[in-house]
Amino acid sequence: MFYWLCKYVLIGPWLRLIFRPQVTGVEHLPTDGSAILASNHLSFSDSIFLPIVVKPHITFLAKSDYFSSPGLKGWATKLFMSAAGQVPVDRSGCRA
């Protein structure tokens, strides 16, 4: 629900209006089922603009620090990431 609300009501329309993002190759995405999207990740903005220009729900892998930071800011970040459907990943090494 939160993902949809941000994408179509709160954030998405404003970002589309201000930045006018364009995408090429979206016709190659399957209409149903799963796919792996590999963006060039030039900045954090990939995770903001990609869900706006692609129709299906996108789930990102997020570093686990976003889900375990202390304090009010950490709590708010964890709440946002969880509500947006992000998946925590431990990046501490190959034995993690």
Side-chain angles (χ1 to χ4, degrees):
M1 172 79 177
F2 181 72
Y3 180 90
W4 181 88
L5 189 65
C6 286
K7 181 175 180 174
Y8 294 109
V9 179
L10 300 176
I11 300 171
W14 290 104
L15 291 178
R16 282 182 178 272
L17 181 69
I18 294 169
F19 293 102
R20 304 211 185 268
Q22 297 178 0
V23 66
T24 58
V26 75
E27 66 275 3
H28 299 293
L29 288 174
T31 55
D32 59 343
S34 300
I36 295 176
L37 300 176
S39 65
N40 56 6
H41 205 56
L42 294 175
S43 73
F44 74 94
S45 62
D46 291 351
S47 58
I48 296 171
F49 288 105
L50 196 57
I52 292 171
V53 296
V54 175
K55 191 86 169 155
H57 178 89
I58 296 179
T59 300
F60 285 97
L61 301 177
K63 63 181 180 178
S64 60
D65 298 348
Y66 292 143
F67 295 86
S68 61
S69 298
L72 183 60
K73 182 180 175 185
W75 175 81
T77 302
K78 177 183 178 181
L79 183 66
F80 176 80
M81 292 294 209
S82 297
Q86 309 312 303
V87 177
V89 174
D90 185 1
R91 305 182 318 165
S92 61
C94 62
R95 297 179 189 206

